[in-house]
Amino acid sequence: MTSPAQGEAPHPRHQPVAAAGPKTMTDLLTLADPERTLVNWLLRQRGASLADIVAHTQAEPAALQAMLDNLTATGFLILHEDADPAVFKPNLVSRRPRTMPEKLWKAVE
Amino acid sequence: MAQVISIHSFRGGTGKSNLTANIATSVASQGKRVAIVDTDIQSPGIHVLFGLDDKDFTHSLNDYLWDRCSAKDAAYDVTALTTADGTPAQISGSVHLVPSSLKAGEIAKILREGYDVGLLNDCFHDLIDQLDLDYLFIDTHPGLNEETLLSIAISDRMVIILRPDRQDFLGTAVTLEVAQKLDVPGITLLVNKAPDIYPRETLIDKVQAQYGVPVGGLFYENDEMLQLASGGIFWLHHPDHAFSQEVHAVARQLIAAE
């Protein structure tokens, strides 16, 4: 972990971002039950491999793969391929910045 | 395995931070290692109950989110609490607090720029590992927003505080619906600030019947709480008070539910 130099503006931490993501927690609530349940579980686990997901859900592998593909394509999950085995992680963590006139922000900063 | 407990209320003014501080310290008094994270970034305040002044802390949750410090660096040991006569309280466990910044510019900056809410999840797990915690309490912002949804989603138990008030009742129904969608394993309701005209059993039965969720505690309004005015942990100042006994009962339930 690094710290910004003295006087330098702090920079927010960042995580890998999928092309279609990231989604918000509010978006998560709009998913159908099976998808939402899976993403909820992954959120608690902070990610899991395909084998772990299969073991947890006991779902039919082809159907599960299709669900994971869809969740990844729509930006709810991101596949971290640098891990061995690769790990699916939730990608629904961005809070959208508040919109407000610039001069009001300047006044309070 | 540490338990993550989020304390939530749909509306402000329910006494959420006060109950969080009291219950967390009661759990610690039973030998547990406890931390509280103030995720109410927009309107922080729980540090006041622990006598922590904003000048006393060099790092806050905001600094963690900006990669300025580790989670442990933003956690302050507040176990050295005192009773009403100033003598040290007997807390056999420990209490750490991660405050949010009280600097107007830093609150504005985080509202303006947003942040990666998932980092809160990392922060919680870092604290559990680095402080070897038994319990992590999350003091949330009232209502539903991205942070509170995340806190709810990753909790082992959610405690919802409500007053016997129609608006609170409606809001609690919304919160429960969301909690069920997020598969929270355990939910407890606490009724706070109840006027003493309501008989205990009648009110508990009414709330439980309305929501189908157990009521873990009922706290009546009292003058001593108003007089303390967030000047400390209530049960340490009034150990024999009915409110304090109810705090300990809730703490015992949380430990037993582990």
Side-chain angles (χ1 to χ4, degrees):
Chain A
M1 185 181 300
T2 58
S3 297
Q6 194 71 25
E8 185 183 332
H11 46 82
R13 297 165 190 243
H14 290 288
Q15 292 183 338
V17 174
K23 297 292 187 183
T24 66
M25 290 298 299
T26 318
D27 295 327
L28 172 62
L29 295 176
T30 66
L31 285 173
D33 287 352
E35 285 85 359
R36 194 182 62 245
T37 300
L38 176 58
V39 180
N40 284 346
W41 181 76
L42 285 168
L43 193 58
R44 288 173 185 278
Q45 302 297 312
R46 301 167 77 199
S49 68
L50 180 58
D52 288 340
I53 297 170
V54 170
H56 170 73
T57 60
Q58 301 286 304
E60 196 271 316
L64 183 60
Q65 187 65 61
M67 187 191 293
L68 289 167
D69 289 346
N70 181 49
L71 287 168
T72 305
T74 51
F76 281 96
L77 297 180
I78 193 164
L79 181 61
H80 288 247
E81 294 182 285
D82 50 340
D84 185 23
V87 170
F88 286 94
K89 289 189 174 184
N91 185 41
L92 38 74
V93 290
S94 253
R95 176 191 176 132
R96 297 190 178 102
R98 305 289 175 93
T99 54
M100 203 165 75
E102 187 73 15
K103 66 179 180 184
L104 286 179
W105 287 119
K106 292 285 184 200
V108 291
E109 281 189 356
Chain B
M1 186 76 175
Q3 295 287 298
V4 178
I5 300 172
S6 65
I7 315 282
H8 187 70
S9 65
F10 189 78
R11 300 178 65 231
T14 59
K16 174 172 54 60
S17 295
N18 212 321
L19 275 175
T20 302
N22 273 277
I23 293 167
T25 50
S26 175
V27 170
S29 75
Q30 296 178 47
K32 305 296 183 184
R33 293 182 60 81
V34 170
I36 304 166
V37 184
D38 188 356
T39 65
D40 194 352
I41 290 174
Q42 301 163 51
S43 47
I46 195 169
H47 60 278
V48 174
L49 291 150
F50 290 97
L52 198 63
D53 193 274
D54 60 335
K55 291 186 285 295
D56 296 333
F57 52 89
T58 50
H59 292 301
S60 65
L61 178 62
N62 306 55
D63 292 307
Y64 176 86
L65 296 172
W66 290 326
D67 200 14
R68 285 169 161 174
C69 71
S70 68
K72 192 178 178 183
D73 288 341
Y76 296 85
D77 189 338
V78 291
T79 314
L81 296 161
T82 54
T83 60
D85 61 7
T87 57
Q90 299 299 311
I91 308 278
S92 55
S94 64
V95 188
H96 283 79
L97 174 67
V98 178
S100 275
S101 174
L102 271 178
K103 294 171 183 162
E106 293 193 348
I107 295 172
K109 179 180 175 61
I110 217 152
L111 293 178
R112 180 185 192 183
E113 298 178 357
Y115 61 92
D116 194 331
V117 175
L119 287 171
L120 280 176
N121 202 0
D122 293 342
C123 181
F124 300 153
H125 285 87
D126 287 353
L127 286 169
I128 288 169
D129 293 341
Q130 293 169 4
L131 299 175
D132 191 23
L133 296 177
D134 298 308
Y135 291 89
L136 178 72
F137 287 84
I138 306 171
D139 187 22
T140 64
H141 185 68
L144 293 172
N145 59 38
E146 292 292 318
E147 299 98 84
T148 52
L149 288 175
L150 177 87
S151 299
I152 293 169
I154 63 158
S155 297
D156 298 300
R157 180 161 292 274
M158 180 182 183
V159 175
I160 304 173
I161 297 169
L162 69 155
R163 292 160 297 195
D165 171 282
R166 285 189 175 81
Q167 291 185 59
D168 278 24
F169 273 41
L170 289 171
T172 298
V174 174
T175 307
L176 280 169
E177 185 182 342
V178 169
Q180 282 155 2
K181 280 193 165 192
L182 293 171
D183 303 322
V184 179
I187 301 174
T188 301
L189 297 178
L190 299 182
V191 181
N192 195 23
K193 300 188 177 181
D196 58 13
I197 55 166
Y198 293 126
R200 178 183 173 86
E201 295 309 321
T202 305
L203 188 50
I204 288 176
D205 288 349
K206 181 181 177 185
V207 173
Q208 287 184 160
Q210 174 139 0
Y211 300 114
V213 170
V215 171
L218 171 63
F219 300 87
Y220 285 99
E221 274 188 321
N222 65 81
D223 291 342
E224 293 87 345
M225 180 67 79
L226 292 172
Q227 286 162 6
L228 187 57
S230 297
I233 304 299
F234 186 88
W235 72 263
L236 288 172
H237 287 250
H238 301 280
D240 299 323
H241 197 285
F243 184 100
S244 303
Q245 300 309 311
E246 194 76 348
V247 164
H248 294 313
V250 172
R252 285 193 296 271
Q253 285 175 41
L254 293 176
I255 292 171
E258 189 176 331

